Amino acid sequence: MKISNRGAIPPFIVMDVMKAAAEREAMGAGVLHMEVGQPSTPAPGGVIAAAKRALDGDLLGYTLATGILPLRQRIVRHYLEYYGVTLSPERICVTTGSSAAFLLTFLAAFDPGDKVAILRPGYPCYRNILGALDIEAVEVPVGPDSRFQPTLAALDAAGGGDLDGLLIASPANPTGSMLREGELRAILNYCRARNIRYISDEIYHQITYGGATSTAVAHDENAVVINSFSKYYSMTGWRLGWMVLPEEMLRPVERLAQNLFISAPSLAQHAAVAAFDCSGELDANVARYARNRDLLLAELPKAGLDRFAPADGAFYIYADVAKFTDDAVAFCAKMLAQTGVAATPGNDFDPVNGASHVRFSFAGSEDDMAEACRRLRDWLGKET
Ligand SMILES: Cc1ncc(COP(=O)(O)O)c(C=O)c1O
Protein backbone atom coordinates (compact mmCIF):
# COMPACT_ATOMS: atom_id res chain seq x y z
CA MET A 1 0.00 0.00 0.00
CA LYS A 2 1.07 3.59 -0.55
CA ILE A 3 3.21 5.49 1.94
CA SER A 4 3.46 9.27 1.56
CA ASN A 5 6.56 11.08 0.39
CA ARG A 6 5.99 13.62 3.12
CA GLY A 7 6.79 11.04 5.78
CA ALA A 8 10.15 10.37 4.16
CA ILE A 9 11.94 12.96 6.28
CA PRO A 10 15.33 12.30 7.92
CA PRO A 11 15.45 11.01 11.49
CA PHE A 12 16.40 13.40 14.29
CA ILE A 13 19.89 11.88 14.72
CA VAL A 14 20.35 13.06 18.30
CA MET A 15 17.48 10.75 19.25
CA ASP A 16 19.45 7.89 17.68
CA VAL A 17 22.52 8.82 19.77
CA MET A 18 20.31 8.90 22.87
CA LYS A 19 19.14 5.40 21.99
CA ALA A 20 22.74 4.12 21.67
CA ALA A 21 23.61 5.74 25.02
CA ALA A 22 20.55 4.13 26.66
CA GLU A 23 21.58 0.71 25.29
CA ARG A 24 25.04 1.17 26.78
CA GLU A 25 23.50 2.12 30.12
CA ALA A 26 21.16 -0.89 29.99
CA MET A 27 24.26 -3.09 29.76
CA GLY A 28 25.53 -1.50 32.97
CA ALA A 29 28.19 0.76 31.40
CA GLY A 30 28.19 4.42 32.44
CA VAL A 31 27.52 7.30 30.06
CA LEU A 32 28.53 10.94 30.41
CA HIS A 33 25.67 12.66 28.65
CA MET A 34 26.72 15.51 26.39
CA GLU A 35 24.38 14.56 23.58
CA VAL A 36 21.04 15.65 24.94
CA GLY A 37 19.80 19.17 24.50
CA GLN A 38 18.05 19.27 27.80
CA PRO A 39 18.71 20.40 31.36
CA SER A 40 19.91 17.68 33.71
CA THR A 41 17.62 19.10 36.41
CA PRO A 42 13.92 18.39 37.06
CA ALA A 43 11.27 21.10 36.87
CA PRO A 44 11.70 23.72 39.59
CA GLY A 45 10.16 23.00 43.00
CA GLY A 46 7.40 25.59 42.59
CA VAL A 47 6.22 23.90 39.39
CA ILE A 48 6.16 20.47 40.97
CA ALA A 49 4.19 21.80 43.96
CA ALA A 50 1.71 23.48 41.61
CA ALA A 51 1.35 20.24 39.64
CA LYS A 52 0.54 18.34 42.85
CA ARG A 53 -2.09 20.91 43.76
CA ALA A 54 -3.59 20.69 40.29
CA LEU A 55 -3.70 16.89 40.46
CA ASP A 56 -5.75 17.08 43.65
CA GLY A 57 -7.90 20.03 42.81
CA ASP A 58 -8.50 20.35 39.10
CA LEU A 59 -10.51 18.41 36.56
CA LEU A 60 -7.54 18.50 34.19
CA GLY A 61 -9.78 18.17 31.18
CA TYR A 62 -9.27 19.76 27.81
CA THR A 63 -8.49 23.46 27.94
CA LEU A 64 -9.10 26.22 25.42
CA ALA A 65 -7.11 25.44 22.28
CA THR A 66 -4.92 28.47 22.94
CA GLY A 67 -4.30 27.57 26.59
CA ILE A 68 -5.68 28.44 30.03
CA LEU A 69 -6.13 32.15 30.67
CA PRO A 70 -4.07 32.28 33.91
CA LEU A 71 -1.05 30.91 32.03
CA ARG A 72 -1.48 33.28 29.09
CA GLN A 73 -1.83 36.16 31.55
CA ARG A 74 1.31 35.07 33.40
CA ILE A 75 3.22 34.87 30.11
CA VAL A 76 2.04 38.41 29.29
CA ARG A 77 3.34 39.61 32.67
CA HIS A 78 6.67 37.94 31.92
CA TYR A 79 6.99 39.93 28.68
CA LEU A 80 6.32 43.14 30.57
CA GLU A 81 8.72 42.37 33.42
CA TYR A 82 11.53 40.78 31.43
CA TYR A 83 11.42 42.63 28.10
CA GLY A 84 9.33 45.72 28.91
CA VAL A 85 6.84 44.72 26.19
CA THR A 86 3.08 45.06 26.61
CA LEU A 87 0.98 42.31 25.04
CA SER A 88 -2.60 41.13 25.40
CA PRO A 89 -3.28 37.51 26.46
CA GLU A 90 -5.18 37.00 23.17
CA ARG A 91 -1.86 37.13 21.33
CA ILE A 92 -0.48 34.18 23.28
CA CYS A 93 -1.10 30.61 22.15
CA VAL A 94 0.10 27.85 24.48
CA THR A 95 1.38 24.80 22.59
CA THR A 96 2.61 21.24 23.08
CA GLY A 97 6.25 22.30 23.27
CA SER A 98 7.72 24.68 20.77
CA SER A 99 7.71 21.72 18.37
CA ALA A 100 3.94 22.06 17.97
CA ALA A 101 4.36 25.81 17.63
CA PHE A 102 6.53 25.32 14.54
CA LEU A 103 3.91 23.08 12.95
CA LEU A 104 1.10 25.54 13.71
CA THR A 105 3.11 28.53 12.51
CA PHE A 106 4.23 26.89 9.29
CA LEU A 107 0.69 25.72 8.53
CA ALA A 108 -0.87 29.09 9.32
CA ALA A 109 1.72 31.28 7.58
CA PHE A 110 2.79 29.33 4.50
CA ASP A 111 1.43 27.28 1.63
CA PRO A 112 3.05 24.28 -0.06
CA GLY A 113 5.82 25.50 -2.35
CA ASP A 114 6.52 28.63 -0.28
CA LYS A 115 10.14 29.31 0.63
CA VAL A 116 11.31 29.66 4.20
CA ALA A 117 14.94 30.45 4.97
CA ILE A 118 16.66 28.68 7.85
CA LEU A 119 20.29 28.69 8.96
CA ARG A 120 22.80 25.95 8.29
CA PRO A 121 24.00 24.73 10.76
CA GLY A 122 20.71 24.92 12.60
CA TYR A 123 18.10 22.96 14.50
CA PRO A 124 17.28 20.01 12.20
CA CYS A 125 13.56 19.79 12.88
CA TYR A 126 12.92 23.13 11.14
CA ARG A 127 14.10 21.66 7.86
CA ASN A 128 12.36 18.35 8.47
CA ILE A 129 8.97 19.80 9.52
CA LEU A 130 9.01 22.23 6.58
CA GLY A 131 9.85 19.30 4.31
CA ALA A 132 6.96 17.24 5.65
CA LEU A 133 4.65 20.15 4.82
CA ASP A 134 6.00 20.56 1.28
CA ILE A 135 7.35 23.99 2.15
CA GLU A 136 10.79 24.63 0.71
CA ALA A 137 13.49 25.10 3.35
CA VAL A 138 16.09 27.46 1.86
CA GLU A 139 19.35 27.02 3.71
CA VAL A 140 21.41 30.07 4.56
CA PRO A 141 24.97 28.90 5.23
CA VAL A 142 26.49 30.64 8.23
CA GLY A 143 29.97 30.28 9.69
CA PRO A 144 32.68 31.85 11.78
CA ASP A 145 32.96 34.97 9.57
CA SER A 146 29.56 36.21 10.75
CA ARG A 147 29.58 34.48 14.15
CA PHE A 148 27.21 31.80 12.78
CA GLN A 149 24.35 34.29 12.23
CA PRO A 150 23.24 35.60 8.82
CA THR A 151 24.27 38.87 7.21
CA LEU A 152 21.86 40.76 4.97
CA ALA A 153 24.08 39.78 2.03
CA ALA A 154 23.61 36.12 2.96
CA LEU A 155 19.83 36.64 2.95
CA ASP A 156 20.11 38.27 -0.49
CA ALA A 157 22.10 35.28 -1.69
CA ALA A 158 19.38 32.95 -0.36
CA GLY A 159 16.77 34.61 -2.53
CA GLY A 160 15.98 37.85 -0.68
CA GLY A 161 12.58 39.09 -1.81
CA ASP A 162 11.64 35.63 -3.14
CA LEU A 163 11.48 34.30 0.41
CA ASP A 164 8.16 33.95 2.23
CA GLY A 165 9.62 33.37 5.66
CA LEU A 166 12.81 33.50 7.70
CA LEU A 167 13.33 31.52 10.89
CA ILE A 168 16.21 32.30 13.23
CA ALA A 169 17.02 31.07 16.71
CA SER A 170 19.02 33.38 18.96
CA PRO A 171 20.69 31.93 20.96
CA ALA A 172 20.97 29.16 18.39
CA ASN A 173 21.23 25.41 18.46
CA PRO A 174 23.80 23.89 17.82
CA THR A 175 26.11 26.90 17.86
CA GLY A 176 24.98 29.00 20.84
CA SER A 177 25.50 32.07 18.64
CA MET A 178 23.35 35.15 19.14
CA LEU A 179 22.09 38.02 17.02
CA ARG A 180 23.06 41.37 18.46
CA GLU A 181 20.18 43.80 18.95
CA GLY A 182 21.23 45.95 15.97
CA GLU A 183 21.50 42.88 13.74
CA LEU A 184 18.03 41.69 14.80
CA ARG A 185 16.56 45.10 13.97
CA ALA A 186 18.31 45.19 10.59
CA ILE A 187 17.00 41.72 9.73
CA LEU A 188 13.48 42.64 10.83
CA ASN A 189 13.61 45.77 8.62
CA TYR A 190 14.89 43.64 5.76
CA CYS A 191 11.97 41.22 6.18
CA ARG A 192 9.37 43.96 6.57
CA ALA A 193 10.50 45.65 3.35
CA ARG A 194 10.14 42.36 1.46
CA ASN A 195 7.00 40.92 3.11
CA ILE A 196 8.97 38.07 4.62
CA ARG A 197 7.37 36.59 7.74
CA TYR A 198 9.98 36.55 10.51
CA ILE A 199 9.80 33.66 12.95
CA SER A 200 11.93 34.04 16.06
CA ASP A 201 12.81 30.89 17.99
CA GLU A 202 13.51 32.27 21.46
CA ILE A 203 13.67 28.92 23.26
CA TYR A 204 17.17 29.65 24.65
CA HIS A 205 16.33 33.10 25.97
CA GLN A 206 17.51 33.60 29.56
CA ILE A 207 20.37 31.13 28.99
CA THR A 208 23.06 33.60 27.97
CA TYR A 209 26.59 34.40 29.06
CA GLY A 210 26.92 38.14 28.98
CA GLY A 211 24.93 39.37 25.98
CA ALA A 212 21.35 40.59 26.37
CA THR A 213 18.47 39.04 24.43
CA SER A 214 15.74 41.13 22.93
CA THR A 215 12.45 39.63 21.77
CA ALA A 216 11.52 40.11 18.12
CA VAL A 217 8.00 41.15 19.12
CA ALA A 218 9.46 44.27 20.77
CA HIS A 219 10.44 45.48 17.30
CA ASP A 220 7.92 43.95 14.93
CA GLU A 221 4.22 43.24 15.47
CA ASN A 222 4.20 40.86 12.48
CA ALA A 223 6.93 38.59 13.82
CA VAL A 224 5.95 35.22 15.25
CA VAL A 225 7.76 34.50 18.51
CA ILE A 226 8.14 30.91 19.63
CA ASN A 227 9.27 29.96 23.10
CA SER A 228 9.08 26.96 25.41
CA PHE A 229 9.24 25.74 28.98
CA SER A 230 11.79 23.12 27.91
CA LYS A 231 15.14 24.86 28.35
CA TYR A 232 15.43 27.73 30.85
CA TYR A 233 12.42 26.41 32.78
CA SER A 234 13.87 22.88 32.80
CA MET A 235 10.61 21.20 31.77
CA THR A 236 11.35 19.27 28.56
CA GLY A 237 9.04 16.32 29.18
CA TRP A 238 6.12 18.48 30.28
CA ARG A 239 5.75 19.33 26.61
CA LEU A 240 4.76 22.94 26.87
CA GLY A 241 5.62 26.00 24.85
CA TRP A 242 3.99 29.18 23.60
CA MET A 243 3.76 31.58 20.71
CA VAL A 244 3.26 35.31 20.49
CA LEU A 245 1.24 35.82 17.35
CA PRO A 246 0.46 38.72 15.07
CA GLU A 247 -3.22 39.68 15.04
CA GLU A 248 -3.90 38.23 11.58
CA MET A 249 -2.65 34.78 12.57
CA LEU A 250 -4.68 34.41 15.79
CA ARG A 251 -7.80 32.81 14.37
CA PRO A 252 -6.01 30.60 11.79
CA VAL A 253 -3.68 29.25 14.49
CA GLU A 254 -6.58 28.74 16.89
CA ARG A 255 -8.53 26.76 14.26
CA LEU A 256 -5.47 24.63 13.46
CA ALA A 257 -4.72 24.04 17.16
CA GLN A 258 -8.32 22.99 17.84
CA ASN A 259 -8.18 20.43 15.08
CA LEU A 260 -4.63 19.17 15.48
CA PHE A 261 -4.17 19.09 19.25
CA ILE A 262 -7.44 20.18 20.95
CA SER A 263 -5.23 21.62 23.68
CA ALA A 264 -1.75 21.44 25.19
CA PRO A 265 -1.36 19.14 28.25
CA SER A 266 -3.61 20.46 30.97
CA LEU A 267 -1.51 19.42 33.99
CA ALA A 268 1.58 21.03 32.51
CA GLN A 269 -0.31 24.26 31.85
CA HIS A 270 -1.57 24.57 35.43
CA ALA A 271 1.89 23.82 36.81
CA ALA A 272 3.72 26.16 34.43
CA VAL A 273 2.00 29.24 35.83
CA ALA A 274 4.36 28.84 38.80
CA ALA A 275 7.48 28.56 36.60
CA PHE A 276 7.86 32.32 36.29
CA ASP A 277 8.23 32.63 40.07
CA CYS A 278 11.11 30.14 40.25
CA SER A 279 13.88 32.35 38.89
CA GLY A 280 16.15 31.74 41.91
CA GLU A 281 16.36 28.02 41.18
CA LEU A 282 16.43 28.50 37.41
CA ASP A 283 19.15 31.16 37.46
CA ALA A 284 21.23 28.81 39.62
CA ASN A 285 20.98 26.28 36.77
CA VAL A 286 22.20 28.94 34.34
CA ALA A 287 25.10 29.77 36.70
CA ARG A 288 26.08 26.08 36.56
CA TYR A 289 25.88 26.08 32.75
CA ALA A 290 28.17 29.11 32.80
CA ARG A 291 30.72 27.29 34.97
CA ASN A 292 30.50 24.22 32.71
CA ARG A 293 31.00 26.42 29.67
CA ASP A 294 34.09 28.04 31.18
CA LEU A 295 35.48 24.60 31.99
CA LEU A 296 34.92 23.24 28.48
CA LEU A 297 36.29 26.34 26.78
CA ALA A 298 39.44 25.92 28.88
CA GLU A 299 39.76 22.12 28.72
CA LEU A 300 38.60 21.09 25.23
CA PRO A 301 41.52 22.89 23.53
CA LYS A 302 43.85 20.71 25.63
CA ALA A 303 42.18 17.73 23.95
CA GLY A 304 42.90 19.28 20.55
CA LEU A 305 39.37 20.66 20.11
CA ASP A 306 40.00 24.36 19.70
CA ARG A 307 37.74 25.57 16.91
CA PHE A 308 34.26 26.44 18.23
CA ALA A 309 31.33 28.59 17.30
CA PRO A 310 30.89 31.47 19.81
CA ALA A 311 28.92 29.86 22.64
CA ASP A 312 27.19 33.09 23.68
CA GLY A 313 24.01 31.38 24.84
CA ALA A 314 22.18 28.02 25.11
CA PHE A 315 24.24 25.12 26.48
CA TYR A 316 26.21 23.82 23.52
CA ILE A 317 29.68 23.90 22.11
CA TYR A 318 29.77 23.21 18.40
CA ALA A 319 33.29 22.02 17.71
CA ASP A 320 35.10 21.56 14.42
CA VAL A 321 36.59 18.04 14.53
CA ALA A 322 37.92 18.05 10.95
CA LYS A 323 41.44 17.28 12.13
CA PHE A 324 40.19 14.00 13.61
CA THR A 325 37.50 12.85 11.18
CA ASP A 326 35.29 13.52 8.19
CA ASP A 327 32.65 11.15 9.53
CA ALA A 328 31.21 12.60 12.74
CA VAL A 329 28.60 9.82 13.06
CA ALA A 330 31.30 7.14 13.22
CA PHE A 331 33.47 9.41 15.38
CA CYS A 332 30.69 9.89 17.95
CA ALA A 333 29.84 6.17 17.94
CA LYS A 334 33.51 5.33 18.60
CA MET A 335 33.78 8.03 21.27
CA LEU A 336 30.74 6.61 23.07
CA ALA A 337 32.05 3.04 22.85
CA GLN A 338 35.61 3.87 23.93
CA THR A 339 35.12 6.69 26.45
CA GLY A 340 31.47 6.57 27.51
CA VAL A 341 31.06 10.23 26.43
CA ALA A 342 27.94 10.72 24.32
CA ALA A 343 27.86 13.72 21.96
CA THR A 344 25.91 14.54 18.80
CA PRO A 345 27.39 14.41 15.31
CA GLY A 346 27.05 17.66 13.37
CA ASN A 347 25.32 15.83 10.49
CA ASP A 348 22.03 16.46 12.28
CA PHE A 349 22.47 20.21 12.05
CA ASP A 350 24.29 20.64 8.78
CA PRO A 351 23.88 18.26 5.83
CA VAL A 352 26.86 19.86 4.05
CA ASN A 353 29.64 20.44 6.62
CA GLY A 354 28.21 18.71 9.67
CA ALA A 355 30.21 15.52 9.20
CA SER A 356 33.27 17.37 10.50
CA HIS A 357 31.54 18.83 13.55
CA VAL A 358 30.34 17.57 16.92
CA ARG A 359 27.93 19.23 19.33
CA PHE A 360 28.70 18.92 23.03
CA SER A 361 25.88 19.83 25.42
CA PHE A 362 27.06 21.20 28.77
CA ALA A 363 23.72 21.08 30.58
CA GLY A 364 24.97 18.23 32.79
CA SER A 365 26.62 18.23 36.21
CA GLU A 366 29.98 19.89 36.78
CA ASP A 367 31.51 16.57 37.82
CA ASP A 368 30.37 14.90 34.60
CA MET A 369 31.77 17.75 32.50
CA ALA A 370 35.15 17.58 34.24
CA GLU A 371 35.32 13.80 33.84
CA ALA A 372 34.31 14.04 30.18
CA CYS A 373 37.12 16.54 29.54
CA ARG A 374 39.64 14.17 31.15
CA ARG A 375 38.48 11.22 29.06
CA LEU A 376 38.39 13.22 25.80
CA ARG A 377 41.88 14.51 26.44
CA ASP A 378 43.12 10.96 26.92
CA TRP A 379 41.25 9.56 23.96
CA LEU A 380 41.95 12.31 21.44
CA GLY A 381 45.59 12.34 22.56
CA LYS A 382 45.73 8.76 21.31
CA GLU A 383 43.72 9.50 18.15
CA THR A 384 46.22 12.05 16.82
C1 LIG B 1 16.38 25.59 18.80
C2 LIG B 1 15.33 24.66 19.31
N1 LIG B 1 14.04 24.94 19.06
C3 LIG B 1 13.07 24.11 19.46
C4 LIG B 1 13.34 22.94 20.17
C5 LIG B 1 12.18 22.03 20.56
O1 LIG B 1 11.86 22.12 21.89
P1 LIG B 1 10.48 21.77 22.57
O2 LIG B 1 9.56 21.15 21.58
O3 LIG B 1 10.82 20.85 23.70
O4 LIG B 1 9.94 23.09 23.07
C6 LIG B 1 14.66 22.62 20.48
C7 LIG B 1 14.99 21.39 21.20
O5 LIG B 1 16.12 21.00 21.38
C8 LIG B 1 15.68 23.51 20.03
O6 LIG B 1 16.97 23.27 20.28
Side-chain angles (χ1 to χ4, degrees), residues 12 37 96-100 102 123 126 169 171-173 201 203-204 227-231 236 239-241 316 359:
F12 189 11
T96 306
S98 69
S99 302
F102 295 121
Y123 180 58
Y126 303 148
N173 178 6
D201 183 349
I203 189 169
Y204 292 104
N227 207 323
S228 170
F229 289 92
S230 288
K231 310 293 173 169
T236 46
R239 306 308 306 130
L240 207 63
Y316 306 113
R359 187 195 73 176

Side-chain angles (χ1 to χ4, degrees), residues 103-332:
L103 182 62
L104 290 167
T105 301
F106 296 162
L107 282 168
F110 308 117
D111 285 312
D114 280 357
K115 294 180 168 50
V116 176
I118 55 170
L119 308 191
R120 172 170 60 74
Y123 180 58
C125 302
Y126 303 148
R127 184 178 355 102
N128 298 343
I129 300 171
L130 288 166
L133 298 176
D134 283 336
I135 298 166
E136 189 184 335
V138 179
E139 292 184 343
V140 182
V142 291
D145 295 348
S146 59
R147 298 174 9 270
F148 289 85
Q149 289 288 349
T151 58
L152 299 184
L155 297 180
D156 276 343
D162 282 348
L163 297 172
D164 300 289
L166 169 63
L167 166 50
I168 295 181
S170 170
N173 178 6
T175 57
S177 70
M178 282 168 63
L179 280 175
R180 296 184 180 122
E181 168 117 17
E183 293 168 336
L184 173 63
R185 280 176 196 265
I187 288 176
L188 286 167
N189 288 339
Y190 181 98
C191 288
R192 202 176 301 115
R194 291 163 183 78
N195 259 329
I196 300 170
R197 174 82 62 193
Y198 187 77
I199 303 165
S200 183
D201 183 349
E202 303 186 353
I203 189 169
Y204 292 104
H205 272 209
Q206 295 180 265
I207 308 181
T208 56
Y209 310 103
T213 42
S214 153
T215 176
V217 75
H219 310 293
D220 190 342
E221 294 281 302
N222 289 317
V224 175
V225 165
I226 295 182
N227 207 323
S228 170
F229 289 92
S230 288
K231 310 293 173 169
Y232 173 72
Y233 300 95
S234 195
M235 295 172 62
T236 46
W238 297 66
R239 306 308 306 130
L240 207 63
W242 74 87
M243 293 184 270
V244 183
L245 291 165
E247 213 64 55
E248 61 192 348
M249 283 179 67
L250 294 178
R251 192 58 188 146
V253 165
E254 185 176 19
R255 286 193 301 260
L256 286 160
Q258 290 167 343
N259 283 281
L260 288 173
F261 301 108
I262 301 188
S263 67
S266 184
L267 178 60
Q269 291 192 56
H270 285 279
V273 179
F276 298 95
D277 299 318
C278 298
S279 44
E281 195 176 331
L282 297 171
D283 289 341
N285 291 343
V286 178
R288 177 168 46 82
Y289 304 149
R291 289 193 296 276
N292 287 346
R293 171 182 176 273
D294 288 347
L295 179 85
L296 292 183
L297 291 179
E299 293 300 316
L300 288 180
K302 297 180 191 162
L305 299 171
D306 51 7
R307 297 188 62 201
F308 315 125
D312 295 333
F315 32 56
Y316 306 113
I317 287 187
Y318 194 58
D320 183 332
V321 293
K323 70 168 130 166
F324 297 105
T325 187
D326 59 4
D327 181 354
V329 173
F331 181 81
C332 287

